[in-house]
Amino acid sequence: MNRPQVALPIGRYRARFRAESPVRLPPYPGSAWRGAFGHALKRALCVTHLPVCSDCALWRSCGYAYVFETPPPAQTEKMRKYTAAPHPFVLDLEPRGGTFAAGSESHLGITLIGHGNRHLGPIIHALEQAAANGIGQGRGRLSLIVVEQHSTDWQVIYRPGGVCEAQPAGSPEIPPPFEYVRLILESPLRLKREGGVVGVQDFSFSALFSNLLRRVSLLTYFHTDTPLETDFADLARAAHDVRPLRADLRWFDWGRYSARQQRKMKLGGLLGEIVFDGAALEPFWPYLWLGQYVHAGAVTSMGLGRYRIEPAASLPEQTEPGAPVETIRP
């Protein structure tokens, strides 16, 4: 199989904050940041103030709805029965929360995908307002110091009161596969397959890749002008033949309370690392590489499904399956 060309402009940004009062974030802070960001973005962009976006005549033309609700276009050929397409952003943050003393600094990363980069200005404003209004237990307040953008390194593009000077987003360069590839799961990877959630014993490259291929395809379809064209069936069949050389996985059991749904939600996923033969990954490599930026699995907008790829100089020892469950609760 020939390696496909995937055009998916990616903008990586990092907002740096200073705590103005003690900030207490939950053990996994993605839900707290996403909620505060969403409320601030709606206050900034919503003009009708209707409680339900789908009841609004501006639903498919509103910047807030596009970023945070992401309704499929009226004439879409994909996801016609769904109320929301994949969002054009993911949060990038450390999987642990904790208490930040007044005067300490922290940061929040956000990756914008495709046309999502057009909304960078309102997004920066919303993050600044969300932090100033308070976040986490006790609503600790933070002030924005700078926003940076990553190209070859991190460069300041915005300071409060100034003008945003971002560079155009571009598709990441994709290097050749390494001889041995280590895939490190940095935040819980929540894969669903055949009505269930993929656990430690059920993990397979096929489960990961089928999810990632669908995700990249939908992101290019809804958020770029160049939808992905490739032999999806052929790639899916070939993925069944790829086996990890080594795997060291554990289950991370995380829960949160959803104010919108008024119920507790279980959002556990896989953490750890997997090593593959790089040659076996050649047909799938562009999607795996892009997955580092767009994440994989469910709940990516809260930061889940983040992983990092690096060369493996040697093969680690296999950990016995069924590693202890790590439990994190709000």
Side-chain angles (χ1 to χ4, degrees):
M1 288 178 284
N2 295 325
R3 183 188 294 183
Q5 299 297 317
V6 185
L8 188 59
I10 299 292
R12 296 175 61 199
Y13 310 96
R14 184 170 66 187
R16 292 190 171 275
F17 298 98
R18 179 182 296 107
E20 300 298 330
S21 60
V23 177
R24 291 183 290 275
L25 293 176
Y28 189 82
S31 60
W33 268 114
R34 184 184 184 275
F37 165 53
H39 287 304
L41 189 66
K42 188 167 187 178
R43 285 194 298 269
L45 296 181
C46 176
V47 297
T48 64
H49 305 294
L50 291 174
V52 180
C53 287
S54 58
D55 293 339
C56 179
L58 304 178
W59 187 36
R60 288 191 166 91
S61 58
C62 169
Y64 165 77
Y66 170 72
V67 172
F68 222 78
E69 302 286 342
T70 322
Q75 304 303 318
T76 184
E77 297 180 359
K78 296 185 178 183
M79 301 189 73
R80 292 179 179 176
K81 297 181 180 180
Y82 291 80
T83 58
H87 304 312
F89 77 94
V90 297
L91 296 181
D92 287 299
L93 67 170
E94 296 303 317
R96 298 284 184 177
T99 300
F100 298 88
S104 63
E105 295 186 7
S106 61
H107 70 266
L108 170 70
I110 185 168
T111 297
L112 301 182
I113 302 160
H115 299 325
N117 288 275
R118 299 174 180 174
H119 300 272
L120 176 61
I123 285 172
I124 290 176
H125 173 77
L127 291 175
E128 185 173 10
Q129 292 301 306
N133 290 336
I135 187 170
Q137 185 180 0
R139 301 189 69 82
R141 294 177 293 104
L142 304 103
S143 59
L144 180 66
I145 303 171
V146 296
V147 176
E148 302 165 311
Q149 181 180 13
H150 190 274
S151 51
T152 55
D153 57 6
W154 290 101
Q155 300 288 336
V156 174
I157 60 168
Y158 175 77
R159 297 182 189 275
V163 176
C164 181
E165 298 179 337
Q167 300 299 311
S171 298
E173 292 187 12
I174 300 174
F178 310 123
E179 181 179 5
Y180 294 112
V181 174
R182 177 179 285 114
L183 193 150
I184 303 168
L185 304 178
E186 297 185 317
S187 67
L189 173 65
R190 186 173 177 83
L191 298 172
K192 295 182 179 180
R193 194 167 199 178
E194 297 177 354
V197 179
V198 175
V200 172
Q201 304 287 352
D202 308 317
F203 177 82
S204 66
F205 177 77
S206 175
L208 170 63
F209 181 74
S210 61
N211 173 277
L212 194 56
L213 179 61
R214 173 177 169 79
R215 176 161 171 76
V216 171
S217 172
L218 291 175
L219 288 173
T220 62
Y221 180 82
F222 288 109
H223 303 302
T224 79
D225 297 323
T226 53
L228 175 66
E229 294 185 5
T230 190
D231 192 331
F232 295 94
D234 195 23
L235 281 169
R237 284 192 296 268
H240 285 283
D241 297 329
V242 177
R243 299 286 185 272
L245 297 177
R246 294 288 188 272
D248 181 3
L249 297 172
R250 68 184 186 278
W251 185 259
F252 181 98
D253 195 11
W254 173 56
R256 64 178 287 264
Y257 181 80
S258 172
R260 173 185 286 185
Q261 300 185 38
Q262 297 186 336
R263 65 184 179 91
K264 290 183 177 180
M265 301 178 65
K266 293 184 177 181
L267 297 172
L270 297 169
L271 290 175
E273 65 177 56
I274 315 118
V275 176
F276 297 95
D277 183 331
L281 297 181
E282 174 68 34
F284 320 101
W285 186 245
Y287 309 103
L288 288 173
W289 192 262
L290 287 173
Q292 295 178 102
Y293 305 97
V294 304
H295 299 197
V299 205
T300 56
S301 62
M302 288 186 194
L304 270 64
R306 185 181 73 181
Y307 65 82
R308 182 177 82 254
I309 288 175
E310 63 180 34
S314 59
L315 300 183
E317 292 296 324
Q318 174 96 31
T319 296
E320 290 296 321
V325 170
E326 183 177 357
T327 302
I328 299 293
R329 302 194 187 282

